[in-house]
Amino acid sequence: MMFNLILFGPPGSGKGTQSENLISRYGLKHLSTGDLLRSEIARQTPLGLEAKNFMDKGQLVPDEVVIGMISSALDQNPQSKGFLFDGFPRTSAQAEALDKLLELKHTSISVMLALDVSEEELVKRLLKRGETSGRSDDTNEQVIRARITEYHNKTAAVADYYRKFDKVRMVKGEGTIDDIFNSLCQEIDKRMVHQIS
Ligand code: ADP
């Protein structure tokens, strides 16, 4: 039986950092739409060139583009113990599409862990990351604000979608990386044991 986790939260909430730790502890396959899109841009594929126009403005890339990417990533990893979705789903349409894709594989989302971080802290972290990440969308405060606005307008509703199925757990996203990691692990361990027994 697969264990499929959504790590949720606004830009800068620490999804990337925590994902790296979580996949190595639990052996899940990491699917980050942000990373997949940046790799398409680096390879200058038509998909990447299209996506870049949106990303540079802090806007979401069209649903069909990211859903297609996730669909092929799922098909490429049939033997996975489970998936960690990072930065996906970001709209209600993406959430519905993901549920359908998982259903085809006779599996579903086990839990959504939502990192809770104040807006002030988010902007601070993203500007700091911009100093070293080489990500153009992190260096401009206006683009950062646009991403946070997109989050409130389109992405926050994704938590409501999973709340209907009682699948959302909030986790404090401020404090040390280790403390946050431990809180996430606690939530996962409760459910993995449950699923195995
Ligand atoms: P962050 O969460 O720090 O903003 P990501 O690396 O997850 O960064 O995403 C960077 C950009 O890629 C987003 O601002 C958006 O333009 C695009 N993107 C990533 N995932 C999605 C998605 N699921 N749907 C639409 N656009 C996406």
Side-chain angles (χ1 to χ4, degrees):
M1 195 169 181
M2 290 172 93
F3 189 89
N4 301 306
L5 168 71
I6 298 172
L7 191 58
F8 188 75
S13 56
K15 299 185 297 286
T17 307
Q18 296 297 341
S19 290
E20 291 304 324
N21 296 335
L22 290 169
I23 54 164
S24 74
R25 169 161 315 188
Y26 295 103
L28 302 173
K29 172 75 188 167
H30 186 196
L31 293 184
S32 157
T33 41
D35 288 350
L36 291 170
L37 289 167
R38 281 184 288 277
S39 142
E40 297 278 345
I41 292 174
R43 287 180 284 126
Q44 301 194 323
T45 65
L47 190 158
L49 295 175
E50 191 202 344
K52 190 176 187 312
N53 292 322
F54 294 92
M55 292 167 76
D56 284 348
K57 288 185 241 157
Q59 293 169 1
L60 292 183
V61 172
D63 285 335
E64 58 275 18
V65 173
V66 287
I67 293 166
M69 272 187 346
I70 288 289
S71 172
S72 51
L74 290 177
D75 288 341
Q76 281 159 23
N77 293 279
Q79 304 297 347
S80 175
K81 287 172 59 179
F83 295 96
L84 190 168
F85 297 97
D86 163 4
F88 181 91
R90 253 181 164 93
T91 64
S92 304
Q94 291 178 23
E96 285 171 30
L98 177 60
D99 272 1
K100 293 212 178 86
L101 288 172
L102 292 177
E103 214 175 289
L104 289 173
K105 306 202 174 295
H106 310 288
T107 185
S108 62
I109 291 298
S110 308
V111 67
M112 166 186 270
L113 298 178
L115 290 167
D116 191 16
V117 178
S118 76
E119 188 142 332
E120 208 185 284
E121 173 73 14
L122 294 176
V123 177
K124 210 168 75 188
R125 285 187 192 176
L126 288 167
L127 284 170
K128 189 159 170 16
R129 185 169 83 185
E131 292 169 11
T132 54
S133 68
R135 276 181 55 171
S136 55
D137 61 346
D138 283 344
T139 44
N140 181 324
E141 184 157 347
Q142 241 179 323
V143 175
I144 290 176
R145 298 265 175 212
R147 282 155 62 201
I148 295 175
T149 302
E150 284 280 78
Y151 174 81
H152 288 301
N153 289 344
K154 298 177 185 162
T155 305
V158 175
D160 299 330
Y161 176 84
Y162 289 102
R163 221 169 259 127
K164 286 190 298 203
F165 307 101
D166 193 25
K167 287 188 175 175
V168 184
R169 293 297 172 268
M170 297 297 295
V171 172
K172 191 169 151 233
E174 294 185 44
T176 69
I177 290 175
D178 283 352
D179 285 345
I180 299 163
F181 180 59
N182 286 329
S183 312
L184 293 168
C185 290
Q186 269 182 23
E187 292 295 340
I188 294 170
D189 291 342
K190 276 187 220 165
R191 288 173 179 76
M192 271 198 173
V193 171
H194 220 73
Q195 208 176 62
I196 291 159
S197 60

PDB file of all heavy atoms in Angstrom, residues 15 41 48-49 59 74 90 96 133 153 186:
ATOM      1  N   LYS A  15       8.845  24.084   2.420  1.00  0.00           N
ATOM      2  CA  LYS A  15       8.461  22.800   1.832  1.00  0.00           C
ATOM      3  C   LYS A  15       9.665  22.075   1.225  1.00  0.00           C
ATOM      4  O   LYS A  15       9.827  20.878   1.403  1.00  0.00           O
ATOM      5  CB  LYS A  15       7.393  22.994   0.749  1.00  0.00           C
ATOM      6  CG  LYS A  15       6.102  23.617   1.267  1.00  0.00           C
ATOM      7  CD  LYS A  15       5.034  23.682   0.171  1.00  0.00           C
ATOM      8  CE  LYS A  15       5.410  24.549  -1.010  1.00  0.00           C
ATOM      9  NZ  LYS A  15       5.346  26.003  -0.758  1.00  0.00           N
ATOM     10  N   ILE A  41      12.807  24.625 -17.780  1.00  0.00           N
ATOM     11  CA  ILE A  41      13.354  25.928 -18.207  1.00  0.00           C
ATOM     12  C   ILE A  41      14.836  25.784 -18.535  1.00  0.00           C
ATOM     13  O   ILE A  41      15.315  26.264 -19.559  1.00  0.00           O
ATOM     14  CB  ILE A  41      13.133  26.999 -17.115  1.00  0.00           C
ATOM     15  CG1 ILE A  41      11.642  27.315 -16.984  1.00  0.00           C
ATOM     16  CG2 ILE A  41      13.917  28.276 -17.431  1.00  0.00           C
ATOM     17  CD1 ILE A  41      11.289  28.247 -15.832  1.00  0.00           C
ATOM     18  N   GLY A  48       8.948  24.558 -20.839  1.00  0.00           N
ATOM     19  CA  GLY A  48       9.702  25.438 -19.957  1.00  0.00           C
ATOM     20  C   GLY A  48       9.599  26.896 -20.382  1.00  0.00           C
ATOM     21  O   GLY A  48       9.425  27.789 -19.551  1.00  0.00           O
ATOM     22  N   LEU A  49       9.695  27.116 -21.676  1.00  0.00           N
ATOM     23  CA  LEU A  49       9.632  28.496 -22.178  1.00  0.00           C
ATOM     24  C   LEU A  49       8.259  29.108 -21.906  1.00  0.00           C
ATOM     25  O   LEU A  49       8.146  30.278 -21.561  1.00  0.00           O
ATOM     26  CB  LEU A  49       9.965  28.534 -23.678  1.00  0.00           C
ATOM     27  CG  LEU A  49      11.412  28.119 -24.008  1.00  0.00           C
ATOM     28  CD1 LEU A  49      11.641  28.069 -25.515  1.00  0.00           C
ATOM     29  CD2 LEU A  49      12.423  29.060 -23.338  1.00  0.00           C
ATOM     30  N   GLN A  59       3.119  34.412 -11.161  1.00  0.00           N
ATOM     31  CA  GLN A  59       1.793  33.818 -11.391  1.00  0.00           C
ATOM     32  C   GLN A  59       1.890  32.308 -11.498  1.00  0.00           C
ATOM     33  O   GLN A  59       2.934  31.762 -11.857  1.00  0.00           O
ATOM     34  CB  GLN A  59       1.203  34.354 -12.707  1.00  0.00           C
ATOM     35  CG  GLN A  59       0.870  35.828 -12.642  1.00  0.00           C
ATOM     36  CD  GLN A  59       0.535  36.390 -14.025  1.00  0.00           C
ATOM     37  OE1 GLN A  59       0.529  35.677 -15.022  1.00  0.00           O
ATOM     38  NE2 GLN A  59       0.293  37.690 -14.072  1.00  0.00           N
ATOM     39  N   LEU A  74       4.063  10.296 -12.366  1.00  0.00           N
ATOM     40  CA  LEU A  74       3.447   9.145 -11.691  1.00  0.00           C
ATOM     41  C   LEU A  74       3.653   7.882 -12.529  1.00  0.00           C
ATOM     42  O   LEU A  74       3.991   6.820 -12.001  1.00  0.00           O
ATOM     43  CB  LEU A  74       1.946   9.384 -11.469  1.00  0.00           C
ATOM     44  CG  LEU A  74       1.557  10.451 -10.440  1.00  0.00           C
ATOM     45  CD1 LEU A  74       0.041  10.626 -10.386  1.00  0.00           C
ATOM     46  CD2 LEU A  74       2.097  10.109  -9.053  1.00  0.00           C
ATOM     47  N   ARG A  90      -1.890  23.141  -6.391  1.00  0.00           N
ATOM     48  CA  ARG A  90      -1.910  24.554  -6.035  1.00  0.00           C
ATOM     49  C   ARG A  90      -3.232  25.220  -6.392  1.00  0.00           C
ATOM     50  O   ARG A  90      -3.407  26.397  -6.133  1.00  0.00           O
ATOM     51  CB  ARG A  90      -0.794  25.269  -6.786  1.00  0.00           C
ATOM     52  CG  ARG A  90       0.391  25.683  -5.915  1.00  0.00           C
ATOM     53  CD  ARG A  90       1.355  26.389  -6.850  1.00  0.00           C
ATOM     54  NE  ARG A  90       2.359  27.168  -6.216  1.00  0.00           N
ATOM     55  CZ  ARG A  90       3.580  26.741  -5.904  1.00  0.00           C
ATOM     56  NH1 ARG A  90       3.898  25.481  -6.080  1.00  0.00           N
ATOM     57  NH2 ARG A  90       4.464  27.567  -5.398  1.00  0.00           N
ATOM     58  N   GLU A  96      -8.444  18.104  -7.739  1.00  0.00           N
ATOM     59  CA  GLU A  96      -9.390  17.122  -8.292  1.00  0.00           C
ATOM     60  C   GLU A  96      -8.708  16.217  -9.300  1.00  0.00           C
ATOM     61  O   GLU A  96      -8.942  15.012  -9.325  1.00  0.00           O
ATOM     62  CB  GLU A  96     -10.585  17.844  -8.921  1.00  0.00           C
ATOM     63  CG  GLU A  96     -11.517  18.381  -7.837  1.00  0.00           C
ATOM     64  CD  GLU A  96     -12.618  19.288  -8.376  1.00  0.00           C
ATOM     65  OE1 GLU A  96     -13.048  19.093  -9.538  1.00  0.00           O
ATOM     66  OE2 GLU A  96     -13.043  20.192  -7.628  1.00  0.00           O
ATOM     67  N   SER A 133      20.041  31.741  -4.082  1.00  0.00           N
ATOM     68  CA  SER A 133      19.411  30.628  -4.799  1.00  0.00           C
ATOM     69  C   SER A 133      19.559  30.738  -6.315  1.00  0.00           C
ATOM     70  O   SER A 133      19.381  29.751  -7.025  1.00  0.00           O
ATOM     71  CB  SER A 133      17.916  30.567  -4.477  1.00  0.00           C
ATOM     72  OG  SER A 133      17.245  31.681  -5.033  1.00  0.00           O
ATOM     73  N   ASN A 153      -5.317  33.698  -3.174  1.00  0.00           N
ATOM     74  CA  ASN A 153      -6.451  33.685  -4.092  1.00  0.00           C
ATOM     75  C   ASN A 153      -6.794  32.301  -4.627  1.00  0.00           C
ATOM     76  O   ASN A 153      -7.952  31.995  -4.849  1.00  0.00           O
ATOM     77  CB  ASN A 153      -6.189  34.615  -5.288  1.00  0.00           C
ATOM     78  CG  ASN A 153      -6.231  36.078  -4.879  1.00  0.00           C
ATOM     79  OD1 ASN A 153      -6.732  36.411  -3.796  1.00  0.00           O
ATOM     80  ND2 ASN A 153      -5.700  36.942  -5.724  1.00  0.00           N
ATOM     81  N   GLN A 186       6.071  13.152  13.399  1.00  0.00           N
ATOM     82  CA  GLN A 186       5.058  12.653  14.336  1.00  0.00           C
ATOM     83  C   GLN A 186       3.739  12.397  13.635  1.00  0.00           C
ATOM     84  O   GLN A 186       3.094  11.359  13.845  1.00  0.00           O
ATOM     85  CB  GLN A 186       4.821  13.679  15.441  1.00  0.00           C
ATOM     86  CG  GLN A 186       5.705  13.475  16.655  1.00  0.00           C
ATOM     87  CD  GLN A 186       5.391  14.497  17.737  1.00  0.00           C
ATOM     88  OE1 GLN A 186       4.285  15.058  17.781  1.00  0.00           O
ATOM     89  NE2 GLN A 186       6.345  14.729  18.616  1.00  0.00           N
TER      90      GLN A 186
END
